[in-house]
């Protein structure tokens, strides 16, 4: 018969295996229910990021870590711990899109990237189309603090060759963007201050989180959130391009006596 010491060794061994097994069950179960290690020694429940409107071959990165590539046009998702995350979407033949996205525990955040072709193909206009475009450009004035661009929950205006974003006071149901606020105080924020003179600022077609600006000899797409990495993508180059709004997918460029339409 085994002596008492041998029995105790077997019991200790089985207890250790039992505790290890129980620990693994807790870890696997917690992971399955969305719990992850958080800052310090905390355990937090993740939120979900969904990125929609992605063409085939689009890759998603969250905090520099790859989170998948689309095999066909559609969306990608990632479970992320609560807090701010740097998101980059790399789309074939498009400028990479970047943003800072705030994730809350157990909640889903849905975003869609701004897609600007690496080699846009402006269409030169003539005849009546050129007349319409020239008129649209002539009507485009710098937005001012008194008469800003209304961009969802924010206003955009130009002052002293700077693009400034402020909270939309006419929409009380809006939540202030995080980048406008510090220590529970929200105030206008400079989001772009070029060295070259600004010529035009118009809304990015069908977006409330970006504008199109012309400064110096370039036209750019500019994200309104100035935190790094701020979205900034070149579109076309000219001499002193002026802009006009055309439709929800198109804008006009007038430069060196010619007018063009650019569509996304």
């Amino acid at each position: 018969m085994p002596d008492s010491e041998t029995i105790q060794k077997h019991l200790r061994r089985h207890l250790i295996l039992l505790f290890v097994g129980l620990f693994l069950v807790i870890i696997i179960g917690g992971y399955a229910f969305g719990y992850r290690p958080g800052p310090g020694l905390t355990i937090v429940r993740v939120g979900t990021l969904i990125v929609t409107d992605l063409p085939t071959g689009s890759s998603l990165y969250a905090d520099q870590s790859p989170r998948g590539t689309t095999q066909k046009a559609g969306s990608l998702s990632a479970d992320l711990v609560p807090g701010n995350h740097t998101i980059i979407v790399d789309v074939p033949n498009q400028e990479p899109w970047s943003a800072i996205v705030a994730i809350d525990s157990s909640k889903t955040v849905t975003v869609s990237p701004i897609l600007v072709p690496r080699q846009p193909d402006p269409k030169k206009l003539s005849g009546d189309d050129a007349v319409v475009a020239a008129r649209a450009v002539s009507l485009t004035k710098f937005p001012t603090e008194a008469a800003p661009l209304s961009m969802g929950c924010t206003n955009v205006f130009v002052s002293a060759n700077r693009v400034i974003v402020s909270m939309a006071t006419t929409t009380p149901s809006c939540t202030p963007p995080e980048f406008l606020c510090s220590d529970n105080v929200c105030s206008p924020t400079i989001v772009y201050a070029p060295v070259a003179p600004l010529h035009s600022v118009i809304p990015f077609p069908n977006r409330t989180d970006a504008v199109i600006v012309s400064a110096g000899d370039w036209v750019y797409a500019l994200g309104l959130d100035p935190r790094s990495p701020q979205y900034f993508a070149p579109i076309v180059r000219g001499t002193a391009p002026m802009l006009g709004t055309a439709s929800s997918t198109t804008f006009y460029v007038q430069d060196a006596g010619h007018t063009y339409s650019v569509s996304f």
Side-chain angles (χ1 to χ4, degrees), residues 32-33 53 93 106 193 220 225:
F33 281 96
D53 303 323
N93 303 316
S106 303
Y220 302 97
D225 188 339

Side-chain angles (χ1 to χ4, degrees), residues 85-177:
H85 297 269
T86 299
I87 305 302
I88 298 175
V89 175
D90 188 18
V91 180
N93 303 316
Q94 307 282 330
E95 295 290 341
W97 176 71
S98 57
I100 294 178
V101 178
I103 299 295
D104 291 329
S105 178
S106 303
K107 294 185 178 180
T108 297
V109 175
T110 301
V111 298
S112 61
I114 300 172
L115 299 180
V116 172
R118 285 199 177 99
Q119 295 181 326
D121 186 22
K123 178 183 177 183
K124 188 175 181 180
L125 303 176
S126 60
D128 291 342
D129 291 338
V131 172
V132 170
R135 177 168 175 76
V137 171
S138 70
L139 293 175
T140 300
K141 308 298 181 183
F142 272 141
T144 64
E145 188 172 8
L149 292 177
S150 179
M151 307 285 290
C153 289
T154 59
N155 290 331
V156 177
F157 61 94
V158 173
S159 177
N161 206 57
R162 302 169 301 174
V163 179
I164 300 172
V165 175
S166 63
M167 185 61 191
T169 57
T170 56
T171 312
S173 61
C174 281
T175 299

Side-chain angles (χ1 to χ4, degrees), residues 22-32 35:
L22 182 60
F23 179 76
L24 290 175
V25 167
I26 293 173
I27 293 295
I28 295 171
Y31 194 92
Y35 290 94

Side-chain angles (χ1 to χ4, degrees), residues 206-227:
N206 210 30
R207 304 285 301 207
T208 60
D209 58 347
V211 292
I212 297 175
V213 301
S214 59
D217 53 3
W218 275 99
V219 177
Y220 302 97
L222 175 72
L224 296 184
D225 188 339
R227 295 174 296 179

Side-chain angles (χ1 to χ4, degrees), residues 49-65:
L49 169 70
I50 298 177
V51 184
T52 62
D53 303 323
L54 295 174
T56 301
S58 301
S59 296
L60 171 64
Y61 299 84
D63 304 319
Q64 289 76 53
S65 297

